[in-house]
C-alpha cells in the first residue's frame, strides 16, 4: 500500500520532467562539438597539456645569482659576522689545469653563497646554491598556483593565458614590469614577494595568499628558469631592491605636490604616451623646452593614450603592444601599498624605476626625486578625482576637447 | 487531548514559556533587521522579483509543512510516552489505517508543495530565465563572456553595436551595461567550468569549456553590483569576482563612446592571438 503514493509521485515527475530538458539543452550540442575537436587533434598544443604530463621533480641543484662582484661587496661588508674577505679566494683553471686568473672575494661562513667563475663570460659573480628539493617544492607550488597562466614550464603561455593582454610573464626572460627595481636590474627576492603579495590591479594577477616560505620556494624555482648567461645565471646582472627615491618631501604640502606634479608631468612630456590632462594652451605655458620635449610639437589627440607597439613581451613569438594607462580611466597595476590604499610612494616608485620593456623609462636620475614624488601625488590625485566617476571625467574630457 | 493539555500545563510550560516568549518577541521585532542584514540584497533586475517571490513561496510552504510535521511528532511523544504502570511501545505503522494515512499525506504534500512550486518555477523559467530576447530585438546589449582560471573576460560591442570589431570594449573583471536594455550573455570558458553569478540580478549560469551558454537580464537599478563565480574552479576561485556597473541611460552613450575610443587606441591589428570573439549564439 505504501508503494502506491510513491509510484504516483514518480509517474507525475516523469510526465513533467521532459519540460526541463527542452529549452536548456544547448550544453549537450556544445559537449559533442568539444569531443569531436578532441578526437581530431592528434597532438596537444603547449597550453593544453595537463599538470600530470609534466615532470614535477627538479633533479639538479641550481646556482642562482646573488649579485655581481661589485654590488655583493657592499652587502658582504655590512655583514662581517657571516662574510670574511679572503685574498686569492678563487683561482679558476682552464681545461689544461692552468690557473687563468686570481680573484679576491668574500667567503660565506654558512657555505651557501660562493664566488663562482663563468668561463663563457670570463668573469665571476656571487651565486647561491639552491637545492633540488627546494626547487621541487617550488615547482609543486608553482604548478598549483601559477601554472594556469604562466605555463607549466614558465613560458608565460598556460591554459588560461590565451588571448590575455597584457600577457603573463615568461619567466625565462627574467624581466618584470612592476618590481620597481629599475629597468636594467633583476629584482631581489623581497621585491618579488612584495609584488606577488600585492598583485597587479586590473589583471588576473591577484594578491596571492601563499605563505612566505611557499612563496620564496616558488621564487627560487622561477629564478632557476633563467637560461644560461641570462637572468639569474648572468654574472653581470645586478640584483636590486625597490628604487630609492628618498623621504617624502611633500608630507605637509599635498596641494603643492599636485600642482608641481602637473607641471612636471606635462613639462617632461608624459603626454607623449599617456594622455595630457590640461588643455593644449596650458601645455604651451608649461613646456619650457628643457624637459626633453619641444614647445608646440605634440601628438594630435592628447586626450587618448598612444599605443606602444613591439614591446619585449612576446606571445608565441609575437611582440605584443601596450596601451599606456589613461589614469582617469584604466586601473593602474601597482599603485597600492600593502594595506590596499592608493599610495603616492608606490606610484612615484613606478615612475622612478620605469617599467622594463614597455616604453616607460626609468626617471630616477633624469629628474630630482622631489619631482618624481610630485608626479606620484599628481597621478594619485587624477585617479582619486576621476577614476570610476563618469560625470567628473566627462566634464574634464569635455574641457580638454574644447567643449566637444 | 485533555491529557495532553494537562501534561503540558503541569510541568513543561513553566520552564519552556519564558524562553519561548522571549524568542517569539525578539524574532518578531527584528525579523526585518535579520532580512536586511542576512537576507538577499533587493533585486536589481526586471525579473528579479519573480524569483524572490518563488523563493518566498517555497520558504513559506516548507515552513508550514515543517510546523505540521513538528506538531505531528510532538503530540504522540507527549501523549504516549512512558508513565508509571504503562510501557511505551513502538508501532511499525503496518495497519491499513496507517497506510491510508501515509498515502493521503504523500499525495497532499505532492500536490500542495511539489506541483505548486513546479508549476510556478516552470512559469518563471519559461517566461523569464529562458526567455532570452532574440538577437534582432531592438536595444539588445550583447556581451561575450570568456571565463578562465581565475578571471572574467568581458567583450561588449562598443559604439558600432557589432561584436568582433576593433572597437569592442574588452575588460577583465569589470562590466559596464546600460539600465533598461536587455543584456544578453554568451558564456564559455578557457579551462574548467565556471559559473557567472550576478546575485543582485538573480542570474546564475555556468560557463563550460567547449560550449556556449546563453543567459540574459535587464537591469532595473543603476549602481555597482557584484560579479561572482559560483562554481568551485580551483585554488583562487574565491578571488574570482568583479564589478558590474549599471549606468543610467543618460550616462551610458558617453561612456560607450570613450570606451570605444580607448579600445581603438589599444587595438593591434597584427596581434591575432589576442582575438577571442565568436559567432553569436542565439
Amino acid at each position: 500500500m505504501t508503494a502506491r503514493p510513491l509510484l504516483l509521485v514518480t509517474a507525475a515527475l516523469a510526465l513533467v520532467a521532459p519540460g526541463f530538458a527542452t529549452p536548456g539543452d544547448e550544453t549537450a550540442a556544445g559537449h559533442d562539438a568539444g569531443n569531436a575537436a578532441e578526437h581530431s587533434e592528434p597532438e596537444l598544443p603547449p597550453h593544453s597539456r595537463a599538470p600530470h604530463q609534466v615532470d614535477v621533480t627538479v633533479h639538479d641543484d641550481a646556482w642562482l645569482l646573488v649579485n655581481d662582484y661589485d654590488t655583493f661587496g657592499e652587502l658582504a661588508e655590512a655583514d662581517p659576522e657571516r662574510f670574511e674577505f679572503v685574498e686569492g679566494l678563487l683561482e679558476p683553471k682552464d681545461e689544461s689545469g692552468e690557473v687563468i686568473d686570481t680573484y679576491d672575494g668574500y667567503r660565506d661562513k654558512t657555505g651557501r653563497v660562493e664566488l663562482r667563475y663563468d668561463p663563457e663570460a670570463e668573469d665571476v659573480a656571487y651565486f647561491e646554491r639552491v637545492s633540488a628539493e627546494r626547487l621541487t617544492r617550488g615547482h609543486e607550488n608553482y604548478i598549483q598556483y601559477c601554472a594556469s597562466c604562466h605555463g607549466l614550464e614558465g613560458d608565460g603561455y598556460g591554459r588560461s593565458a590565451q588571448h590575455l593582454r597584457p600577457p603573463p610573464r615568461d619567466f625565462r626572460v627574467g624581466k618584470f614590469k612592476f618590481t620597481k627595481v629599475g629597468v636594467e636590474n633583476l629584482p631581489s627576492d623581497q621585491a618579488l614577494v612584495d609584488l606577488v603579495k600585492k598583485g597587479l590591479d586590473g589583471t588576473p594577477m591577484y594578491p596571492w595568499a601563499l605563505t612566505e616560505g611557499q612563496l620564496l620556494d616558488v621564487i627560487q624555482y622561477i629564478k632557476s628558469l633563467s637560461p644560461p648567461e641570462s637572468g639569474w645565471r648572468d654574472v653581470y646582472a645586478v640584483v636590486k631592491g625597490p628604487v630609492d627615491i628618498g623621504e617624502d618631501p611633500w608630507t605637509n604640502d599635498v596641494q603643492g605636490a599636485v600642482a608641481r606634479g602637473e607641471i612636471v608631468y606635462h613639462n617632461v612630456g608624459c603626454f607623449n604616451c599617456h594622455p595630457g590632462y590640461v588643455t593644449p594652451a596650458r601645455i604651451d605655458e608649461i613646456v619650457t623646452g628643457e624637459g626633453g620635449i619641444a614647445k608646440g610639437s605634440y601628438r594630435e589627440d592628447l586626450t587618448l593614450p598612444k599605443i606602444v607597439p613591439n614591446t619585449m613581451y612576446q606571445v608565441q613569438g609575437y611582440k605584443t603592444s601596450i596601451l599606456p594607462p589613461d589614469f582617469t580611466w584604466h586601473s593602474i597595476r601597482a599603485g597600492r601599498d600593502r594595506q590596499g590604499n592608493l599610495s603616492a610612494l608606490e606610484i612615484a616608485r613606478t615612475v622612478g624605476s620605469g617599467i622594463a620593456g614597455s616604453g616607460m623609462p626609468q626617471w630616477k636620475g633624469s629628474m630630482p626625486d622631489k619631482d618624481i614624488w610630485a608626479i606620484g601625488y599628481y597621478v594619485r590625485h587624477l585617479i582619486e578625482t576621476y577614476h570610476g566617476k563618469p560625470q567628473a571625467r566627462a566634464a574634464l574630457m569635455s574641457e580638454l576637447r574644447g567643449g566637444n | 487531548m485533555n491529557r495532553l493539555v494537562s501534561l503540558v500545563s503541569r510541568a513543561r510550560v513553566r520552564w519552556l514559556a519564558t524562553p519561548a516568549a522571549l524568542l517569539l518577541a525578539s524574532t518578531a521585532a527584528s525579523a526585518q533587521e535579520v532580512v536586511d542584514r542576512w537576507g538577499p540584497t533587493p533585486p536589481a533586475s526586471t525579473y528579479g522579483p519573480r524569483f524572490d517571490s518563488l523563493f518566498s513561496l517555497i520558504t513559506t510552504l516548507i515552513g508550514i509543512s515543517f510546523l505540521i510535521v513538528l506538531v505531528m511528532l510532538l503530540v504522540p511523544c507527549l501523549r504516549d510516552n512512558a508513565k508509571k504502570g504503562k510501557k511505551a511501545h513502538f508501532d511499525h505503522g503496518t495497519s491499513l489505517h496507517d497506510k491510508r494515512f501515509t498515502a493521503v499525506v504523500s499525495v497532499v504534500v505532492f500536490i500542495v508543495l511539489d506541483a505548486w512550486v513546479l508549476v510556478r518555477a516552470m512559469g518563471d523559467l519559461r517566461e523569464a530565465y529562458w526567455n532570452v530576447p532574440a538577437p534582432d530585438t531592438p536595444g539588445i546589449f550583447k556581451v561575450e563572456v570568456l571565463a578562465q582560471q581565475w578571471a572574467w573576460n568581458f567583450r561588449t560591442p562598443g559604439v558600432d553595436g557589432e561584436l568582433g570589431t576593433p572597437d569592442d570594449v574588452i575588460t577583465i573583471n569589470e562590466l559596464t551595461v546600460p539600465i533598461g536594455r536587455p543584456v544578453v550573455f554568451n558564456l564559455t570558458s578557457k579551462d574548467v567550468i565556471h559559473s557567472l553569478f550576478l546575485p543582485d540580478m538573480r542570474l546564475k549560469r555556468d560557463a563550460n569549456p567547449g560550449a556556449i551558454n546563453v543567459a540574459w537580464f535587464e537591469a532595473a537599478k543603476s549602481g555597482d553590483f557584484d560579479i561572482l563565480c559560483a562554481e568551485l574552479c580551483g585554488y583562487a576561485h574565491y578571488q574570482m569576482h568583479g564589478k558590474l556597473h549599471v549606468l543610467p541611460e543618460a550616462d551610458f552613450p558617453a561612456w560607450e563612446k570613450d570606451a570605444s575610443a580607448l579600445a581603438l587606441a589599444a587595438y593591434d591589428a597584427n596581434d591575432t592571438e589576442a582575438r577571442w570573439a565568436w559567432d553569436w549564439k542565439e
Side-chain angles (χ1 to χ4, degrees):
Chain A
M1 270 305 277
T2 27
R4 198 174 289 167
L6 276 177
L7 267 177
L8 260 172
V9 174
T10 326
L13 269 177
L15 281 175
V16 188
F20 278 115
T22 22
D25 62 355
E26 53 261 23
T27 33
H31 190 68
D32 287 348
N35 277 344
E38 205 177 285
H39 290 307
S40 63
E41 264 172 13
E43 202 174 304
L44 290 170
H47 62 260
S48 296
R49 275 172 304 164
H52 69 263
Q53 288 165 297
V54 171
D55 183 10
V56 179
T57 316
V58 178
H59 299 282
D60 300 317
D61 292 356
W63 285 98
L64 301 176
L65 184 78
V66 178
N67 240 319
D68 65 314
Y69 188 81
D70 295 334
T71 318
F72 188 81
E74 293 165 27
L75 296 173
E77 287 290 334
D79 192 358
E81 295 206 349
R82 182 172 166 190
F83 298 103
E84 58 174 343
F85 190 75
V86 178
E87 278 182 30
L89 176 68
L90 184 65
E91 289 182 335
K93 297 176 177 124
D94 65 8
E95 280 163 16
S96 58
E98 205 162 310
V99 173
I100 309 167
D101 211 339
T102 306
Y103 292 92
D104 305 338
Y106 293 88
R107 176 183 288 141
D108 179 8
K109 289 171 191 162
T110 66
R112 288 204 301 274
V113 173
E114 259 184 37
L115 183 68
R116 287 173 68 84
Y117 180 77
D118 181 344
E120 294 289 327
E122 295 181 1
D123 209 340
V124 287
Y126 288 89
F127 287 87
E128 182 176 5
R129 180 201 285 273
V130 182
S131 69
E133 294 84 63
R134 191 176 186 197
L135 292 174
T136 304
R137 279 204 308 275
H139 195 192
E140 280 164 2
N141 282 312
Y142 173 88
I143 287 188
Q144 173 93 331
Y145 303 112
C146 322
S148 63
C149 285
H150 290 285
L152 290 166
E153 281 148 12
D155 57 3
Y157 201 64
R159 177 85 206 180
S160 314
Q162 298 170 79
H163 325 301
L164 261 192
R165 293 295 176 275
R169 280 302 75 82
D170 176 348
F171 292 126
R172 298 166 308 181
V173 180
K175 287 272 179 199
F176 300 87
K177 280 165 79 177
F178 296 103
T179 48
K180 311 194 181 188
V181 297
V183 289
E184 297 295 329
N185 302 325
L186 287 175
S188 63
D189 287 4
Q190 196 50 46
L192 286 169
V193 168
D194 272 358
L195 186 143
V196 180
K197 290 260 180 197
K198 282 197 271 191
L200 299 172
D201 289 354
T203 75
M205 181 74 192
Y206 295 120
W208 297 100
L210 277 74
T211 65
E212 196 107 343
Q214 280 177 318
L215 198 47
L216 284 168
D217 288 349
V218 172
I219 285 169
Q220 303 313 315
Y221 172 72
I222 286 170
K223 283 155 67 174
S224 78
L225 293 169
S226 307
E229 310 294 307
S230 78
W232 277 272
R233 298 183 199 272
D234 175 6
V235 288
Y236 300 119
V238 182
V239 178
K240 278 265 168 81
V243 68
D244 178 19
I245 50 167
E247 288 288 307
D248 183 357
W250 300 97
T251 349
N252 300 318
D253 187 13
V254 174
Q255 278 188 324
V258 172
R260 175 68 190 156
E262 183 181 287
I263 291 172
V264 180
Y265 180 97
H266 295 95
N267 188 35
V268 301
C270 296
F271 57 79
N272 272 346
C273 301
H274 299 277
Y277 297 103
V278 295
T279 57
R282 173 86 178 115
I283 291 182
D284 266 337
E285 280 174 41
I286 290 174
V287 170
T288 56
E290 287 157 20
I293 179 139
K295 214 183 242 303
S297 64
Y298 317 130
R299 289 190 293 128
E300 202 174 309
D301 187 356
L302 287 182
T303 60
L304 287 175
K306 190 182 129 209
I307 195 165
V308 181
N310 215 21
T311 63
M312 62 164 286
Y313 298 108
Q314 300 192 7
V315 177
Q316 303 290 288
Y318 180 76
K319 290 184 170 177
T320 57
S321 304
I322 289 173
L323 187 72
D326 174 347
F327 303 108
T328 65
W329 185 276
H330 302 107
S331 56
I332 59 166
R333 305 280 178 252
R336 293 180 190 279
D337 58 22
R338 283 287 269 268
Q339 283 74 43
N341 304 315
L342 201 57
S343 140
L345 166 67
E346 290 301 327
I347 300 169
R349 272 188 180 158
T350 310
V351 176
S353 67
I355 299 171
S358 74
M360 173 78 180
Q362 180 173 330
W363 288 99
K364 167 89 187 170
S366 314
M367 64 168 88
D369 287 352
K370 198 172 177 184
D371 285 352
I372 295 178
W373 273 97
I375 293 184
Y377 274 103
Y378 178 57
V379 170
R380 190 184 74 174
H381 160 79
L382 287 175
I383 297 170
E384 282 174 347
T385 319
Y386 301 110
H387 183 72
K389 300 185 174 72
Q391 278 153 356
R393 184 180 185 273
L396 172 75
M397 286 296 145
S398 151
E399 188 196 328
L400 298 184
R401 290 170 189 146
N404 294 316
Chain B
M1 205 60 190
N2 282 338
R3 260 179 63 207
L4 172 73
V5 172
S6 69
L7 257 175
V8 170
S9 60
R10 209 186 324 135
R12 286 168 181 81
V13 153
R14 238 170 290 152
W15 57 267
L16 269 177
T18 319
L22 275 174
L23 188 73
L24 274 173
S26 66
T27 310
S30 62
Q32 195 52 47
E33 280 172 41
V34 170
V35 168
D36 287 349
R37 177 142 188 219
W38 302 106
T41 50
S45 62
T46 50
Y47 62 41
R50 293 185 71 123
F51 298 120
D52 281 17
S53 98
L54 177 66
F55 187 84
S56 311
L57 174 72
I58 296 174
T59 313
T60 314
L61 289 178
I62 301 289
I64 291 170
S65 27
F66 172 69
L67 286 177
I68 293 173
V69 170
L70 209 62
V71 168
M72 286 167 73
L73 275 171
L74 275 175
V75 166
C77 284
L78 293 172
R79 195 184 58 191
D80 302 331
N81 61 356
K83 284 181 274 297
K84 216 176 226 176
K86 190 192 172 198
K87 201 167 176 259
H89 77 278
F90 181 73
D91 182 20
H92 288 274
T94 43
S95 68
L96 187 61
H97 167 266
D98 288 349
K99 286 175 179 172
R100 259 192 217 135
F101 179 75
T102 311
V104 167
V105 168
S106 306
V107 171
V108 167
V109 165
F110 175 74
I111 289 174
V112 174
L113 257 92
D114 298 59
W116 189 353
V117 169
L118 201 63
V119 167
R120 273 287 308 271
M122 290 305 295
D124 286 341
L125 287 171
R126 285 229 172 83
E127 287 160 33
Y129 188 75
W130 287 333
N131 190 19
V132 183
D136 52 0
T137 313
I140 189 179
F141 188 74
K142 296 178 184 174
V143 183
E144 286 186 351
V145 185
L146 181 60
Q148 70 169 86
Q149 282 178 327
W150 291 279
W152 295 103
N153 297 274
F154 296 105
R155 173 187 285 268
T156 57
V159 280
D160 68 356
E162 291 282 323
L163 279 163
T165 52
D167 80 336
D168 284 3
V169 180
I170 302 166
T171 49
I172 292 175
N173 289 344
E174 229 173 330
L175 174 64
T176 307
V177 301
I179 195 172
R181 281 168 65 183
V183 177
V184 184
F185 293 107
N186 261 202
L187 297 115
T188 191
S189 164
K190 285 182 194 177
D191 33 48
V192 300
I193 302 175
H194 302 273
S195 184
L196 181 73
F197 183 25
L198 310 176
D200 303 276
M201 304 298 163
R202 307 291 190 261
L203 174 67
K204 192 188 278 177
R205 190 82 166 100
D206 276 8
N208 305 56
I212 294 169
N213 291 345
V214 184
W216 81 286
F217 76 95
E218 183 180 321
K221 276 185 199 166
S222 60
D224 292 350
F225 304 100
D226 286 331
I227 300 173
L228 304 169
C229 179
E231 182 68 59
L232 182 59
C233 59
Y235 163 74
H237 166 64
Y238 72 102
Q239 301 228 54
M240 191 173 164
H241 52 74
K243 271 277 167 263
L244 172 72
H245 308 287
V246 179
L247 288 188
E249 261 166 294
D251 292 347
F252 188 75
W255 182 91
E256 196 177 36
K257 195 168 149 244
D258 283 354
S260 271
L262 283 159
L264 277 174
Y267 185 73
D268 178 0
N270 298 320
D271 194 358
T272 47
E273 208 274 344
R275 310 286 147 70
W276 54 271
W278 53 78
D279 290 339
W280 188 254
K281 178 169 166 146
E282 292 177 28

